């Protein structure tokens, strides 16, 4: 039992990051879905690497360089997995704002490896908002916010996996078969891990305010996806993670640093 849970943690680490974990004996595609309960744990790890990069570089470099290097570290360690999902989702759903596109056409656009205008704009806006939010904080507090935001972003994706059906081609899904969804027990584990990370590094009031704001924004993405394509895809999960992460940072900066 414990050995299998360790395997699932390694699966989550292998899927969400570029950190080498070696071969996983007896691997089954469904394990990606089963490992989702550990996504917030991996998110916290990514946040720690990002925070450490920011803190170490801030000793020798002036802002905004440490902050930008921290954001770059997160992108490198994850292979831009979630950013890619954000861009594809923005292209697929954004192109349908004027109407006239079918569900199938939206999914086709999201699968296209070429990035469009909506995708480029979404990436620029998200990265700019993250950078501005972190720049409003001192390096130590910015590091704490990064840890909570990354853990919470993965938690938001797991909640979406639990709440919504899969809308794409299950055989070609980026996050495995997605045939059974996330169980209530697995969601509970993810909630404990995601909330524990946030409450550990941030004051309760700050964390809860940022969490509520981030979940609201991520929920809006989920609702739009449900209406436009009938549920979620791997790309939509990436967009949900990125939107939560960005809005969480904005809200946290607002609470900690205040206006102006």
């Amino acid at each position: 039992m414990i050995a299998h849970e360790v395997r699932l943690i390694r699966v989550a680490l292998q899927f969400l990051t570029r950190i080498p974990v070696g071969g996983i004996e007896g691997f089954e595609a469904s394990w990606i879905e089963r490992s989702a309960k550990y996504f917030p744990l991996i998110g916290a790890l990514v946040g720690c690497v990002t925070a450490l990069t920011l803190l170490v570089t801030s000793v020798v470099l002036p802002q905004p360089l440490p902050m930008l290097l921290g954001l770059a570290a997160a992108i490198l360690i994850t292979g831009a997995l979630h950013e890619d999902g954000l861009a594809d989702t923005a292209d697929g759903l954004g192109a349908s704002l004027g109407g006239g596109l079918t569900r199938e056409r939206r999914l086709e656009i999201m699968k296209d490896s070429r990035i469009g205008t909506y995708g480029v704009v979404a990436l620029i806006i998200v990265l700019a908002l993250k950078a501005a939010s972190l720049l409003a904080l001192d390096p130590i507090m910015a590091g704490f916010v990064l840890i909570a935001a990354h853990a919470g972003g993965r938690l938001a994706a797991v909640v979406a996996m639990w709440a919504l059906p899969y809308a794409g081609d299950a055989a070609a899904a980026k996050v495995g078969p997605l045939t059974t969804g996330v169980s209530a027990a697995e969601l509970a584990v993810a909630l404990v891990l995601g909330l524990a990370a946030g409450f550990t590094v941030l004051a309760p009031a700050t964390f809860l305010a940022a969490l509520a704001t981030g979940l609201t924004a991520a929920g809006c993405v989920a609702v739009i996806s449900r209406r436009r394509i009938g549920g979620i895809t791997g790309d939509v999960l990436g967009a949900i993670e990125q939107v939560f992460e960005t809005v969480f940072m904005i809200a946290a900066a607002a609470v900690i640093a205040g206006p102006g």
Side-chain angles (χ1 to χ4, degrees), residues 195 199 202-214 248:
L195 295 178
F199 280 119
L202 294 177
T206 300
F207 175 60
L208 289 175
L211 178 68
T213 309
F248 182 98

Side-chain angles (χ1 to χ4, degrees), residues 210-234:
L211 178 68
T213 309
L215 286 176
T216 299
C220 289
V221 176
V223 169
I224 293 172
S225 178
R226 182 73 169 91
R227 291 178 177 176
R228 294 288 183 175
I229 62 174
I232 57 170
T233 66

Side-chain angles (χ1 to χ4, degrees), residues 101-193:
L101 293 183
T102 64
R103 169 184 175 275
E104 290 70 24
R105 178 55 182 155
R106 292 167 190 145
L107 288 170
E108 182 182 347
I109 292 173
M110 292 169 69
K111 289 179 183 178
D112 193 331
S113 60
R114 295 170 296 180
I115 186 170
T117 302
Y118 286 106
V120 172
V121 171
L123 287 174
I124 291 173
I125 291 174
V126 161
L127 290 173
L129 289 174
K130 287 182 184 180
S133 299
L134 294 175
L135 198 56
L137 305 171
D138 66 79
I140 293 178
M141 188 54 66
F144 288 154
V145 169
L146 281 167
I147 295 170
H150 279 279
R154 277 66 176 185
L155 172 59
V158 176
V159 172
M161 292 174 68
W162 171 76
L164 297 176
Y166 187 68
D169 180 5
K174 292 182 180 179
V175 292
L178 285 175
T179 54
T180 60
V182 173
S183 69
E186 290 168 336
L187 176 63
V189 173
L191 283 168
V192 169
L193 293 173

Side-chain angles (χ1 to χ4, degrees), residues 7 16 22 27 36 43 55 58 65 74 97-98 122-123 132 139 160 167 173 186 199 202 212 216 224 229 243 256:
R7 280 195 291 268
L16 293 179
F27 174 78
L55 289 171
S58 67
L65 292 175
L97 291 177
L123 287 174
E186 290 168 336
F199 280 119
L202 294 177
T216 299
I224 293 172
I229 62 174
V243 169
I256 296 168

